[in-house]
Amino acid sequence: METTLVLLKPDTIQRGLIGQIVSRFENKGLKIVGMKMMLLSDEIVSEHYDFLADKPFFPGIKAYMTSAPVVAMAISGSNVIKTVRNLTGATNPAEALPGSIRGDFALTIDANIIHASDSAETAAVELKRFFKDGEITSYEKISDKIVG
Ligand code: ATP
Ligand code: MG
């Protein structure tokens, strides 16, 4: 069973969309195993998006990601990394399909409301970045037996 990291970015919180987006994951049958609100420091944002450090839009990402809290979620399920990326939709909301989270709730790439890990290797590093030991739970959900 895989686990992935999702961040509901500051615009999700500002726009009151937390519940609707969490519902998408619950409706899909995925299992939320960790969840917390946190205000990100410049340091953690720089680490998380280090591959974008030399891009002209990087200062904008930093300002955006630290402007209000995020909700960090650890989500488990069969093929969860790919499944959550599909639910999330393309990076640029203008290209994200209707029905995806970015397709339905976001308009521009600089406020694309959600982050999701893109591979098993990335997910392992990112879960450790946002959750301390013991903050990710392990439990059996009755629906595990129904949806896999
Ligand atoms: P995320 O990592 O947030 O899930 P992603 O994997 O779809 O998004 P990445 O290429 O990892 O896309 O980009 C990380 C984030 O950097 C994007 O979500 C977006 O907020 C920002 N970003 C990427 N490209 C641009 C751009 N051209 N202009 C502004 N912001 C951008
Ligand atoms: Mg990414």
Side-chain angles (χ1 to χ4, degrees):
M1 190 70 70
E2 289 181 335
T3 306
T4 195
L5 175 87
V6 164
L7 298 176
L8 307 184
K9 295 179 178 179
D11 41 342
T12 301
I13 284 74
Q14 293 287 11
R15 294 173 57 205
L17 296 173
I18 297 171
Q20 289 189 68
I21 295 176
V22 172
S23 286
R24 299 265 174 135
F25 299 121
E26 292 184 317
N27 290 345
K28 184 71 176 171
L30 296 169
K31 180 155 68 170
I32 299 166
V33 292
M35 189 162 171
K36 63 177 174 177
M37 183 174 272
M38 54 200 294
L39 195 55
L40 301 184
S41 62
D42 271 7
E43 289 68 32
I44 199 167
V45 175
S46 297
E47 194 182 300
H48 188 63
Y49 286 129
D50 64 343
F51 59 99
L52 298 174
D54 57 353
K55 301 282 188 206
F57 53 82
F58 187 64
I61 290 184
K62 244 182 169 172
Y64 162 54
M65 291 298 291
T66 57
S67 63
V70 301
V71 173
M73 302 173 69
I75 303 180
S76 285
S78 183
N79 292 313
V80 72
I81 295 165
K82 188 170 175 213
T83 301
V84 167
R85 291 283 291 188
N86 282 340
L87 290 174
T88 295
T91 306
N92 186 346
E95 285 156 20
L97 293 177
S100 69
I101 292 169
R102 286 170 175 157
D104 287 353
F105 295 113
L107 199 57
T108 62
I109 195 165
D110 49 359
N112 64 0
I113 74 168
I114 189 165
H115 160 81
S117 305
D118 59 14
S119 69
E121 295 71 34
T122 318
V125 172
E126 293 182 345
L127 286 163
K128 277 201 166 42
R129 180 172 298 140
F130 290 93
F131 288 93
K132 299 190 186 89
D133 283 350
E135 286 183 338
I136 296 180
T137 61
S138 171
Y139 65 100
E140 191 170 350
K141 215 172 153 193
I142 292 163
S143 59
D144 287 349
K145 294 191 177 72
I146 305 166
V147 296

